[in-house]
Amino acid sequence: MELSVNHLLGIKYLNEEDIQLIFSTADQFKEVINRPIKKVPSLRDITIANLFFENSTRTKLSFELAEKRLSADVINFSSSGSSVSKGETLIDTVNNILSMKVDMVVMRHSSAGAGIFLSRHVNASIVNAGDGAHEHPTQALLDCYSIREKLGDVAGKKVVIVGDILHSRVALSNIFALQKLGAEVKVCGPKTLIPKFIDKLNVAVEDNLIKALQWCDVANMLRVQHERMDNSYFPSTREYVQQFGLNKKILDSLDKEIVVMHPGPINRGVEITSDVADSKQSIILNQVENGVAIRMAVIYLLASKIKTS
Ligand code: NCD
């Protein structure tokens, strides 16, 4: 079995079989990373460059760890302090790095479509680690994998994504992944933070958080992405919290135990309170753990296509 794609640019370009193949491969790697020796020699002949043109903690560490656990050679690059600030183009930066014989590029960039653009111009396998407000495919894969682990399956589950949908690459990738796997998706948030094209994605909008939570099996609480806002999208953080913040009182008032997720970084007391983040219904740290296994699976499957092509 192999992936239908040579790059991971977005969930949009994957089919359901690809996602299931990534999950079954991640199952095996999850077993590996829980052994005393957490490493396999699979990618000893592969060199990977992690290019982060935008800030990241979790995603960068998670990719790096995944690559090292597969025994790949790894080089890291952050745009701050680099020649990008001297005016070098993206293609020139990447081609210079590739001339050092790099096979795969993991890239985070503030421009939507940066990975797609690069895949057309350079000779390496590209993994999108987040492109602007567009897609963040490995996050959606690890989110769906964590739902599958917790609830047995993604098909037939009801998932609400709450918060800043407009600026969130996590939201768009999750919508595509959940729907491909047969889940039902709603979004909930301030009207100003719901994109106009949402109807075209076959996603219902629920304005009322309590109703959304009563409907769902899983609530994925997103951070308000202040860094992407050029305007004021709601009157104040206090009002946002009152209408869309999840606290323990609300969670306990529901007639079923829903699963609570968050991609991180959390703003404790804004989108969720600390007691919700740390409650037994929260799978936030499982998401982080699963992120390594999912990224190992993605890199392993893409690298096996390089070797055979
Ligand atoms: C997200 C991101 O950077 O898109 N975080 C992540 O990758 N874990 C979401 C966010 O920044 O809120």
Side-chain angles (χ1 to χ4, degrees), residues 176-189:
F176 288 143
L178 288 161
Q179 289 181 340
K180 286 184 189 211
L181 293 171
E184 212 182 316
V185 189
K186 278 189 184 176
V187 293
C188 174

Side-chain angles (χ1 to χ4, degrees), residues 1-238:
M1 288 270 284
E2 61 169 25
L3 292 176
S4 67
V5 291
N6 294 324
H7 309 276
L8 179 63
L9 302 173
I11 300 290
K12 191 176 170 190
Y13 309 105
L14 299 181
N15 57 42
E16 195 197 339
E17 290 71 43
D18 291 325
I19 301 177
Q20 297 295 0
L21 175 61
I22 293 169
F23 286 178
S24 56
T25 311
D27 286 340
Q28 293 168 33
F29 287 132
K30 193 158 177 184
E31 199 258 312
V32 168
I33 56 183
N34 281 302
R35 286 185 205 154
I37 296 171
K38 305 176 181 61
K39 226 173 149 141
V40 284
S42 323
L43 298 195
R44 259 194 325 221
D45 50 347
I46 293 278
T47 304
I48 304 176
N50 298 315
L51 311 186
F52 280 73
F53 295 92
E54 199 186 65
N55 295 343
S56 167
T57 313
R58 247 159 307 271
T59 305
K60 194 168 167 210
L61 291 176
S62 182
F63 267 110
E64 195 175 337
L65 204 55
E67 292 152 5
K68 290 183 168 164
R69 301 222 146 134
L70 290 166
S71 306
D73 286 325
V74 179
I75 52 171
N76 288 304
F77 166 92
S78 302
S79 57
S80 52
S82 74
S83 289
V84 173
S85 50
K86 297 181 189 165
E88 192 176 49
T89 67
L90 179 61
I91 295 179
D92 282 340
T93 302
V94 175
N95 270 329
N96 273 278
I97 295 166
L98 292 182
S99 56
M100 301 179 212
K101 304 278 174 269
V102 167
D103 306 289
M104 193 180 291
V105 172
V106 173
M107 183 171 75
R108 170 166 288 193
H109 201 283
S110 56
S111 300
I116 299 167
F117 173 76
L118 206 60
S119 70
R120 293 189 186 137
H121 292 95
V122 303
N123 185 22
S125 180
I126 311 291
V127 180
N128 177 8
D131 61 332
H134 181 226
E135 280 227 40
H136 190 353
T138 55
Q139 180 70 44
L141 290 167
L142 75 89
D143 288 342
C144 291
Y145 184 79
S146 302
I147 295 173
R148 166 186 180 262
E149 183 179 70
K150 180 77 180 174
L151 299 178
D153 203 351
V154 177
K157 298 295 178 292
K158 294 177 176 151
V159 181
V160 64
I161 306 174
V162 182
D164 181 1
I165 314 299
L166 183 66
H167 299 98
S168 175
R169 50 194 174 209
V170 177
L172 189 61
S173 286
N174 260 277
I175 291 168
F176 288 143
L178 288 161
Q179 289 181 340
K180 286 184 189 211
L181 293 171
E184 212 182 316
V185 189
K186 278 189 184 176
V187 293
C188 174
K191 277 198 173 58
T192 48
L193 291 177
I194 306 287
K196 289 205 179 70
F197 59 79
I198 200 79
D199 303 346
K200 297 204 176 68
L201 296 176
N202 215 351
V203 171
V205 181
E206 174 56 73
D207 301 324
N208 183 296
L209 178 68
I210 310 289
K211 282 192 191 153
L213 296 173
Q214 273 161 348
W215 169 82
C216 76
D217 301 303
V218 178
N220 195 349
M221 308 299 297
L222 302 182
R223 186 175 66 87
V224 176
Q225 317 249 319
H226 290 291
E227 74 278 18
R228 299 194 195 287
M229 295 185 186
D230 47 7
N231 228 317
S232 185
Y233 286 81
F234 47 83
S236 69
T237 302
R238 201 168 136 259

